[in-house]
Amino acid sequence: MPKPGNSRWAAHARPIITKVIRENPEADEKQLRQLISEQYPYGIREHHPYKQWLLEVRAQLNLRFRGKVTRDKPPKNLPPTPLFQP
């Protein structure tokens, strides 16, 4: 999965999402998702612009509620899994 912020669509979406988050500091994650969804600026919710929007929403909400940006990395300290079972 691509990282947030790697396209012009994500760069365009970033200030819109940030504005909604800043204007609603008391909102919980579910409420913010609804408010952010209402501000979607690209028309049809499909293809690359929508995917970049969703990546940017995920990144900013993770930063807001969990203090980190999700990069979809596997968890650390997992035992190695063999590709083929003998």
Side-chain angles (χ1 to χ4, degrees), residues 80-86:
T81 306
L83 183 59
F84 300 102
Q85 298 293 331

Side-chain angles (χ1 to χ4, degrees), residues 35-50:
L35 293 168
I36 290 169
S37 178
E38 292 169 3
Q39 297 299 315
Y40 181 72
Y42 308 126
I44 298 173
R45 293 175 188 255
E46 56 185 34
H47 305 300
H48 187 70
Y50 186 53

Side-chain angles (χ1 to χ4, degrees), residues 40-69:
Y40 181 72
Y42 308 126
I44 298 173
R45 293 175 188 255
E46 56 185 34
H47 305 300
H48 187 70
Y50 186 53
K51 290 177 184 177
Q52 289 299 307
W53 173 266
L54 293 176
L55 286 171
E56 192 60 36
V57 168
R58 180 187 305 162
Q60 289 200 32
L61 289 180
N62 278 339
L63 187 61
R64 165 92 158 81
F65 290 103
R66 292 166 192 83
K68 62 182 178 180
V69 175

